[in-house]
Amino acid sequence: MPPSAPRIDHLRLVQFRSHALFEMETDTASLVLVEGANGTGKTNILEALSLFGFGGRGFRNAATMELHREGQAAPWGVAVTLDETRYTLMEAPGDTRVFKIDDSIQKSTPSFGEAAALLWLTPRHDRLFDSSAGDRRRFFDRFVSAFYAGHSGHLRAYDYRWRERRALFESGGAVDATWRRVIEQSLAGHAVAIAAARNAVLAQLQRWLAEPLADFPPASLALLGWVEQRCGELPAVLVEQELLERLERGALEGVLLPHQADVTALHLGKNAPAHRCSSGEQKAVVMAWLLAEARLLAAEQERAPILLLDEPFTHLDVTRQGALLEALLALGCQVWLTDCGTLSAPLPAATKRLKLAA
Amino acid sequence: MQQDNSPLPALLKILAKLPGVGARSSRRLALHLLKRKDAVLYPLIDALSTAATDVVSCRECGNLDTVDPCGLCTDPRRATQQLCVVADVADLWALERGGSFKGRYHVLGGLLSALDGVTPEQLRLDALVSRVKALGITEVILALNGTMDGQSTAFYVGDKLAPLGVKTTRLAFGIPIGGELDYLDDSTVSTAMAARQLL
Ligand SMILES: [Zn+2]
């Protein structure tokens, strides 16, 4: 049990997606299971919580307007009570959102801040290793930003400078040399900061991946990226210089920049790359990856995250379902789960269950 | 409902184009003006008309005033060898409200942005270099906001000024990136000015 395991004890949704009004207490249970047939709005409940995670747009990356209850113009709202602090996110005029902690309006991106990090898995992640490098990279960066608060800022700034640099070349005419250098210097600085953070988090994660909970497969991860690799070989300041020179010369052939990097996984039990494994094994590796992240956060930051797992039991036999529940209990964090009737393993006694009607 | 070319829809349309005013507030503003013609509407018409004819952009610093060069540029007490560079006139006014800066200003007329197509040629950069020389400036204070564009503009200006050997500082913002000078309260602006750092 980690020293601090944050618990959401109350959730209220108003005019949100399929819910006109939804309210529930969790009694600060560590497992919260939302059950119901497809179309009853289970995922919407987890999505509402995910709005307080990395990026502030939730796990469907939804625009403000999309979160309306179908066919309604009324503004939506989400209120979460986490360890006696109330976090509110509401739609406001002009396609904007208002984020409040207790009664004070915040200018920052919605999040539980220092109080709790959010990690999530959705059915989309079942195919993570068959998916694009971008999907895996974002999955990993979401975790790195739970670890380093500045990471998402570097990612945004890097992305901005990269688009600026492209716009500069596409604008036609002669490129202002000073302007280009200012942009490339900033780009190189953010690139090295991103790569160094990724490397540091990956190194710490490997230990937990090698010793999985329950009978999840041991795994290891590798970062494929030029800046990440150079940062493992040289001091950061030299990598920054080298990258800047390459940007200046336009010598970027074969150079995987931070926005092109990939994260690959090895199933250590099979000694095979995850994308070569069966779909069941792939799902187990992704789950083991998320569990390792949760354990690392709890151990290093003395603060357990909150996990959102959308339909984690599908395609798992009863033994694996039981192993997952056992591993989740061992974590000690609060875990929100959905299930559409595929769960046949017995639930731990302390589970808070909520059945949604069609 | 009235025809589109009647005066009321035209008024609502132009009001809605003002910053911070949407369709709903434009209706409220129009009603307010029309109900108080003598107290508000006619004085506003006079003030707008005077502003349109009398307010000009200062050829020296880019400030808005009724005289050119502006009152700040002709005030001898302002000849302090300090020059404060801002993006817009609104920022100049924010610093004046703070009241802690006693030197002269230079309005760039925007921030560099490759994505919005704002190029160095569109900013008053050559004028800045010649004013620094002509006024015998010893310190240039970059009072640009902490956004991505504010940061690159600060570095760009710093680079252009480097050959002149003039000390270049920037405001010390304890504000999150994206903070706009214009929206800060006056005492924060003064504190940032007092705690400025070398670029
Ligand atoms: Zn002037």
Side-chain angles (χ1 to χ4, degrees), chain A residues 157 160-161 164 176 178-179 181, chain B residues 114 118 120 148-149 152 156 159:
Chain A
Y160 191 90
R161 294 294 185 227
E164 271 204 309
D176 183 298
T178 307
W179 195 8
R181 193 171 60 249
Chain B
V118 182
M148 296 299 292
D149 293 340
S152 40
Y156 191 95
D159 198 280

Side-chain angles (χ1 to χ4, degrees), chain A residues 217-220 265-274 277 281-282 284-285 320:
Chain A
S220 77
L266 196 66
H267 187 304
L268 290 176
K270 306 221 134 196
N271 200 25
C277 295
E281 286 162 348
Q282 291 197 24
V285 173
R320 290 214 158 268

Side-chain angles (χ1 to χ4, degrees), chain A residues 250-269:
Chain A
L252 298 174
E253 221 169 294
V255 172
L256 269 187
L257 288 168
H259 67 290
Q260 299 156 329
D262 196 357
V263 190
T264 60
L266 196 66
H267 187 304
L268 290 176

Side-chain angles (χ1 to χ4, degrees), chain A residues 31-53:
Chain A
L31 296 189
V32 182
L33 178 66
V34 184
E35 299 167 281
N38 284 324
T40 49
K42 302 182 300 296
T43 304
N44 298 341
I45 292 171
L46 265 59
E47 183 190 23
L49 293 175
S50 73
L51 295 175
F52 297 90

Side-chain angles (χ1 to χ4, degrees), chain A residues 6-213:
Chain A
R7 296 276 188 270
I8 290 169
D9 51 31
H10 184 257
L11 170 66
R12 182 185 161 93
L13 309 180
V14 181
Q15 301 292 345
F16 185 87
R17 296 270 196 197
S18 57
H19 302 281
L21 176 66
F22 170 85
E23 191 152 21
M24 79 173 288
E25 309 268 350
T26 71
D27 309 325
T28 65
S30 54
L31 296 189
V32 182
L33 178 66
V34 184
E35 299 167 281
N38 284 324
T40 49
K42 302 182 300 296
T43 304
N44 298 341
I45 292 171
L46 265 59
E47 183 190 23
L49 293 175
S50 73
L51 295 175
F52 297 90
F54 175 65
R57 286 170 60 105
F59 57 47
R60 286 183 177 123
N61 196 26
T64 300
M65 301 295 287
E66 292 172 53
L67 299 172
H68 277 310
R69 195 154 83 90
E70 285 104 61
Q72 300 282 320
W76 54 263
V78 178
V80 180
T81 308
L82 169 75
D83 295 334
E84 290 168 17
T85 302
R86 191 176 161 90
Y87 300 82
T88 318
L89 191 59
M90 282 169 301
E91 182 180 3
D95 204 12
T96 56
R97 308 171 186 204
V98 174
F99 171 43
K100 291 203 290 188
I101 298 182
D102 288 328
D103 288 324
S104 71
I105 293 177
Q106 310 290 311
K107 283 182 118 182
S108 54
T109 314
S111 86
F112 299 135
E114 293 288 301
L118 276 174
L119 300 174
W120 59 71
L121 276 186
T122 68
R124 223 169 74 93
H125 294 117
D126 288 357
R127 316 298 299 170
L128 189 63
F129 300 110
D130 290 332
S131 184
S132 67
D135 280 346
R136 282 183 293 277
R137 189 173 60 243
R138 277 184 289 275
F139 181 74
F140 183 57
D141 276 331
R142 185 145 40 84
F143 176 62
V144 177
S145 14
F147 226 81
Y148 291 111
H151 189 63
S152 51
H154 283 299
L155 288 169
R156 272 197 307 276
Y158 173 91
D159 176 64
Y160 191 90
R161 294 294 185 227
W162 181 255
R163 288 186 292 125
E164 271 204 309
R165 184 177 183 270
R166 203 173 49 205
L168 206 59
F169 292 132
E170 284 169 0
S171 63
V175 172
D176 183 298
T178 307
W179 195 8
R180 179 177 170 180
R181 193 171 60 249
V182 166
I183 290 173
E184 290 180 342
Q185 268 169 355
S186 170
L187 184 72
H190 291 297
V192 168
I194 290 166
R198 285 176 179 165
N199 282 346
V201 170
L202 190 86
Q204 295 199 67
L205 199 55
Q206 301 287 27
R207 186 180 123 220
W208 300 95
L209 283 161
E211 295 163 15
L213 288 173

